[in-house]
């Protein structure tokens, strides 16, 4: 009986608390913040770390790491795996792939504890008498795409040194000396921006600082070919199959012109030697990542062999090369950090990435890697995609600079209403408008070329970091051509609007129009993405098997209730095909009747109609007037 009364009392007490009554000592108290991780200081680390990597297990995609870190005294110490990585603009270090961590000193195991807030950090106590820590662990690479990017494939790999090393917290990473050695599969060639001496299958890399090591990734592989682009720039190509290495002389000449045109533009080079690392593969994941003295570039098969079929992914190398100047040498002051733990702020990515996007398209045309007409057509697609993005009515461009941290490039269901890293392409449009205004205000005497030379063209050979802020950008523009640049940029960055900023086209001699025939570049983009793109008519894009890949917010497709994940199985009572949907769009324009579709959502089917009679619409740029306009001059080789 007493037991039953006690249970009743407990239930009444619980009900009292849940109904709003105050119970003594019931308010949770916050745990104390663990701030035992030392802040980075600009002092030299006492000793040189060594990193030894066995990268021969390509079948299982496992790197085996042995590392030695000298220590000067006993007591608490924190080891870090790099988290906040330049070029990724967020904490993207693959800590989930570090496994088997064992630390010892003088042959005795040393216990470690992971930090519960900063999970890239490991706390330990260095025992008395120890002069070094001996560390072993494995980096277990992705063997399937659902585990992340595949960086180790049967015939090539992409080793990034942040995957295979730890560093002591409390120091600027540029003050930590390190020496690395990596053993690759027999017969493979390895290339990095960091010089190395080959000893059998091992590459012994030049002793450097830890910041430079992390900025010096490696491409290695069985099928390799080097092309000299200049006395200081190489194109290093790795492929799944040897026939993908067969570049024609005129293709390599275009890459040589990319280097020449870049140097003419900027007037300096911020590297002693630069290595393009290019993989042509459908087995290793694609990539585009900038470094001071190299870049990681991953494209699908056909880069050389299908050159005539369209521009494909040939914008990648111009973009990443520009980053040697913009992003690596000149960097926003809030994105520079002293180590790989300090969070970055990305507020200046509209310069770092937006202007790099601008120069990437300019230089692809100037070099001939992509033709001028294809470049114009690609710019038309960029303009149209942003001009049909209703998210611009609520979310300003500057807020998209937070996207690398918010979403880390995970897929979004409603990109047209959410936005996604628009600082790239809308940043391009802003800089195109800056070019047009410079030309207009100076009566054709000034352009963005003058900005490039003034902002990036100093200190030839210096591959350090020179930071800037918003005021520095405005000051440089004002020195070239006086104008209210602060007000202009503030409006473009912080304002919202119904339409994209297209004055860079209209002021420079072109306007955006839509026709019922896609451009060659548009067709190339459809083929590359595997989608039929009806974004500017129905407001959707359709992938393999009728699967809907995107739906534009407030478009006819949106208003018909379609969304990402639906599949179109039939058009007007017949099995879906891209051509049948195109024909239905054309027919609806004549008949003025809705388009009938059968939709599959999971295991359910439904019939729906799209009330659209506007016909096929594809973007392109139309020349205004006659003669050479500002955009023509911008895309012309120097």
């Amino acid at each position: 009986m007493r037991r039953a009364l006690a249970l009743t009392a407990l239930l009444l007490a619980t009900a009292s608390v849940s109904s709003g009554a105050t119970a003594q000592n019931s308010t949770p108290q916050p745990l104390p913040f663990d701030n035992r991780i030392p802040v980075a200081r600009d002092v030299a680390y006492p000793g040189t770390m060594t990193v030894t990597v066995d990268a021969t297990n390509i079948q299982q995609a496992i790197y085996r790491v042995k590392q030695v870190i000298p220590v000067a005294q006993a007591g608490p110490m924190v080891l870090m795996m790099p988290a906040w990585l330049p070029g990724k603009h967020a904490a993207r270090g693959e800590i989930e792939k570090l496994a088997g961590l064992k630390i010892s000193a003088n042959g005795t195991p040393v216990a470690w504890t992971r930090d519960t807030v900063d999970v890239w950090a490991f706390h330990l106590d260095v025992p008395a008498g120890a002069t070094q820590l001996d560390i072993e662990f494995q980096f277990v690479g992705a063997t399937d795409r659902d585990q992340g990017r595949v960086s180790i494939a049967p015939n090539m790999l992409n080793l990034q040194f942040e995957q295979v090393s730890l560093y002591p917290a409390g120091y600027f990473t540029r003050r930590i000396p390190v020496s690395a050695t990596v053993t690759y599969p027999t017969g493979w060639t390895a290339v990095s921006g960091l010089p190395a001496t080959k000893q059998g299958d091992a590459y012994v890399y030049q002793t450097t600082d830890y910041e430079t090591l992390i900025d010096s990734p490696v491409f290695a592989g069985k099928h390799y070919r080097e092309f000299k682009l200049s006395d200081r720039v190489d194109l290093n190509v790795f492929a799944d199959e040897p026939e993908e290495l067969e570049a024609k002389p005129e293709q390599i000449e275009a890459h040589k012109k990319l280097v020449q045109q870049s140097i003419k533009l900027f007037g300096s080079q911020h590297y002693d030697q630069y290595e393009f690392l290019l993989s042509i593969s459908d087995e290793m994941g694609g990539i585009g990542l900038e470094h001071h003295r190299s870049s990681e570039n991953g494209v699908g098969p056909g880069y050389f062999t299908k050159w005539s079929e369209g521009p494909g992914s040939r914008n990648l190398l111009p973009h990443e090369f520009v980053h040697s100047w913009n992003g690596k040498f000149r960097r926003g002051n809030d994105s520079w950090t002293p180590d790989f733990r300090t969070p970055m702020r990305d507020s200046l990515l509209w310069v770092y990435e937006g202007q790099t996007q601008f120069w990437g398209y300019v230089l692809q045309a100037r070099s001939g890697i992509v033709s001028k007409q294809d470049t114009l057509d690609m710019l038309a697609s960029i303009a149209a995609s942003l001009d049909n993005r209703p998210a611009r009515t609520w979310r300003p461009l500057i807020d998209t600079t937070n996207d690398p941290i918010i979403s880390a490039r995970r897929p979004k269901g409603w990109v047209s209403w959410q936005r996604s890293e628009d600082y790239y392409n809308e940043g391009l449009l802003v800089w195109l408008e800056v070019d047009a205004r410079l030309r207009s205000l100076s009566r054709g005497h000034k352009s963005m070329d003058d900005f490039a030379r003034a902002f990036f063209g100093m200190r030839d050979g210096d591959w350090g970091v020179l930071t800037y802020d918003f005021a520095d950008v405005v000051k440089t523009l004002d020195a070239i051509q006086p104008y209210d640049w602060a007000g202009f940029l503030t409006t473009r960055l912080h304002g919202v609007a119904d339409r994209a900023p297209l004055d860079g086209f209209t002021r420079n001699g072109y306007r955006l129009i839509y026709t019922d025939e896609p451009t060659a570049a548009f067709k190339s983009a459809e083929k590359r993405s595997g989608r039929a793109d009806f974004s500017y008519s129905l407001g959707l894009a359709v992938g393999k098997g009728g699967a809907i890949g995107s739906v534009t917010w407030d478009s006819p497709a949106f208003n018909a209730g379609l969304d990402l994940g639906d599949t179109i199985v039939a058009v007007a009572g017949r099995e879906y095909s891209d051509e049948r949907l195109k024909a239905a769009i054309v027919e609806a324009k004549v008949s003025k009747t809705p388009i009938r579709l059968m939709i599959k959502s999971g295991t359910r089917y439904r019939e729906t109609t799209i009330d659209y009679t506007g016909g096929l619409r594809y973007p392109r740029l139309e020349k205004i007037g006659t003669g050479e306009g500002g955009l023509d001059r911008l895309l012309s080789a120097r």
Side-chain angles (χ1 to χ4, degrees):
M1 182 67 178
R2 278 184 298 195
R3 207 171 147 195
L5 289 172
L7 179 58
T8 301
L10 176 60
L11 291 172
L12 288 172
T14 303
S16 174
V17 172
S18 64
S19 65
T22 301
Q24 188 177 6
N25 298 325
S26 65
T27 303
Q29 296 299 310
L31 293 172
F33 180 70
D34 187 346
N35 60 357
R36 292 178 296 156
I37 302 176
V39 175
R41 296 174 299 135
D42 192 4
V43 296
Y45 185 74
T48 299
M49 303 192 303
T50 62
V51 176
T52 305
V53 182
D54 180 346
T56 59
N57 188 353
I58 56 173
Q59 178 62 44
Q60 295 175 299
I62 298 171
Y63 297 143
R64 297 188 179 276
V65 182
K66 292 185 178 180
Q67 185 172 357
V68 175
I69 301 180
V71 292
Q73 60 186 26
M77 185 176 186
V78 179
L79 299 180
M80 308 290 305
M81 185 179 187
W84 287 83
L85 297 166
K88 297 189 177 181
H89 314 308
R92 300 278 295 280
E94 296 179 279
I95 186 64
E96 75 282 3
K97 292 181 173 62
L98 184 151
L101 179 62
K102 296 180 181 179
I103 304 173
S104 64
N106 296 327
T108 301
V110 175
W112 56 264
T113 303
R114 191 191 302 267
D115 195 276
T116 55
V117 175
D118 188 340
V119 295
W120 289 266
F122 300 91
H123 297 269
L124 56 94
D125 283 305
V126 177
T131 59
Q132 67 182 44
L133 295 176
D134 299 298
I135 302 167
E136 294 185 18
F137 65 89
Q138 300 83 46
F139 178 84
V140 288
T143 54
D144 194 85
R145 291 177 182 177
D146 64 1
Q147 302 165 16
R149 174 176 173 257
V150 174
S151 60
I152 306 170
N155 288 320
M156 68 177 72
L157 62 81
N158 174 198
L159 185 146
Q160 298 167 325
F161 280 104
E162 65 266 18
Q163 300 168 337
V164 293
S165 61
L166 304 176
Y167 71 95
Y171 299 84
F172 279 25
T173 51
R174 69 186 183 195
R175 303 297 303 275
I176 303 174
V178 60
S179 178
T181 300
V182 183
T183 302
Y184 301 100
T186 299
W188 282 27
T189 300
V191 182
S192 169
L194 184 64
T197 301
K198 193 172 186 298
Q199 298 179 0
D201 295 330
Y203 283 68
V204 180
Y205 291 91
Q206 182 182 84
T207 299
T208 186
D209 61 86
Y210 191 66
E211 181 175 286
T212 300
L213 181 70
I214 300 305
D215 196 43
S216 306
V218 179
F219 274 26
K222 180 179 180 180
H223 306 300
Y224 164 73
R225 189 170 178 184
E226 178 190 44
F227 300 93
K228 297 292 293 184
L229 302 184
S230 77
D231 60 340
R232 292 163 69 175
V233 181
D234 299 327
L235 174 60
N236 303 277
V237 187
F238 298 84
D240 292 335
E241 305 295 339
E243 54 265 28
E244 291 287 344
L245 304 175
E246 297 304 316
K248 295 179 180 179
E250 59 268 26
Q251 295 169 342
I252 298 305
E253 185 62 28
H255 288 80
K256 289 180 179 179
K257 287 180 179 177
L258 169 62
V259 176
Q260 295 164 5
Q261 289 294 318
S262 299
I263 296 170
K264 287 181 178 181
L265 172 66
F266 296 115
S268 64
Q269 298 177 78
H270 295 296
Y271 44 79
D272 50 354
Q273 183 73 24
Y274 188 93
E275 307 290 348
F276 280 109
L277 307 176
L278 174 62
S279 66
I280 304 176
S281 175
D282 57 8
E283 296 182 312
M284 190 168 80
I287 192 172
L289 191 59
E290 66 272 11
H291 304 280
H292 265 299
R293 299 190 289 174
S294 66
S295 57
E296 297 167 274
N297 307 274
V299 300
Y303 183 83
F304 293 122
T305 59
K306 297 180 181 179
W307 188 277
S308 62
E309 294 183 12
S313 55
R314 297 205 298 273
N315 176 256
L316 180 59
L317 268 64
H319 180 99
E320 299 304 337
F321 193 39
V322 169
H323 269 317
S324 182
W325 289 267
N326 184 17
K328 299 307 295 183
F329 174 61
R330 294 306 307 265
R331 196 177 309 173
N333 60 359
D334 60 355
S335 65
W336 179 86
T337 58
D339 61 5
F340 302 116
R341 176 180 183 252
T342 305
M344 300 170 185
R345 275 76 173 178
D346 293 336
S347 70
L348 288 157
L349 287 182
W350 56 277
V351 183
Y352 184 126
E353 295 290 4
Q355 194 175 142
T356 297
Q357 191 82 328
F358 169 86
W359 287 123
Y361 280 93
V362 169
L363 287 169
Q364 73 175 28
R366 290 185 184 182
S367 65
I369 283 181
V370 177
S371 72
K372 175 187 173 182
Q373 187 57 55
D374 280 341
T375 299
L376 289 170
D377 293 341
M378 293 165 80
L379 291 173
S381 291
I382 288 172
S385 69
L386 291 164
D387 204 36
N388 289 269
R389 188 160 289 186
R392 302 190 69 264
T393 62
W394 74 268
R395 191 178 184 196
L397 173 61
I398 194 66
D399 190 53
T400 71
T401 63
N402 296 303
D403 274 347
I405 299 170
I406 292 172
S407 61
R409 296 188 174 170
R410 290 185 295 271
K412 293 183 176 182
W414 301 100
V415 172
S416 60
W417 189 237
Q418 294 170 281
R419 283 196 172 220
S420 180
E421 299 191 54
D422 285 358
Y423 54 83
Y424 276 92
N425 281 337
E426 193 164 325
L428 180 159
L429 297 185
V430 169
W431 288 109
L432 186 60
E433 187 174 358
V434 171
D435 178 76
R437 288 177 181 269
L438 284 171
R439 292 177 190 275
S440 175
L441 291 165
S442 68
R443 298 185 178 182
H445 294 292
K446 301 294 182 180
S447 69
M448 276 295 293
D449 284 61
D450 297 281
F451 181 90
R453 182 65 65 98
F455 203 70
F456 304 107
M458 66 287 287
R459 304 185 188 179
D460 184 65
D462 181 354
W463 39 281
V465 179
L466 180 61
T467 61
Y468 62 86
D469 58 18
F470 180 83
D472 293 321
V473 176
V474 170
K475 181 180 178 180
T476 304
L477 285 169
D478 199 52
I480 296 167
Q481 177 62 51
Y483 181 65
D484 181 17
W485 295 109
F488 166 78
L489 291 172
T490 297
T491 298
R492 290 291 177 265
L493 295 172
H494 296 272
V496 294
D498 293 336
R499 307 297 298 274
L502 302 182
D503 278 2
F505 295 108
T506 55
R507 288 172 176 264
N508 263 342
Y510 286 84
R511 60 174 160 250
L512 178 65
I513 65 169
Y514 297 87
T515 66
D516 59 5
E517 283 294 327
T519 64
F522 194 95
K523 291 179 181 178
S524 175
E526 284 187 310
K527 184 175 181 180
R528 182 181 167 206
S529 66
R531 292 182 179 182
D533 192 348
F534 304 103
S535 296
Y536 310 111
S537 52
L538 300 181
L540 55 76
V542 187
K544 186 177 181 180
I548 295 178
S550 68
V551 175
T552 302
W553 193 271
D554 273 345
S555 67
F558 178 91
N559 294 330
L562 301 181
D563 60 58
L564 186 69
D566 284 345
T567 298
I568 306 173
V569 295
V571 180
R574 300 190 66 188
E575 185 180 23
Y576 175 83
S577 72
D578 297 341
E579 292 306 316
R580 282 203 177 107
L581 185 53
K582 286 182 183 179
I585 295 171
V586 172
E587 170 62 25
K589 184 177 181 179
V590 176
S591 66
K592 305 300 180 185
T593 58
I595 298 168
R596 295 188 299 113
L597 303 175
M598 176 68 75
I599 303 299
K600 181 176 183 289
S601 299
T603 59
R604 299 179 183 275
Y605 291 80
R606 71 182 188 277
E607 290 186 352
T608 191
T609 59
I610 299 181
D611 188 10
Y612 173 76
T613 58
L616 294 168
R617 296 176 79 242
Y618 299 101
R620 66 175 67 228
L621 293 178
E622 179 182 69
K623 195 166 180 59
I624 301 172
T626 60
E628 188 180 55
L631 186 53
D632 297 313
R633 289 188 286 273
L634 180 66
L635 300 181
S636 297
R638 299 300 184 255

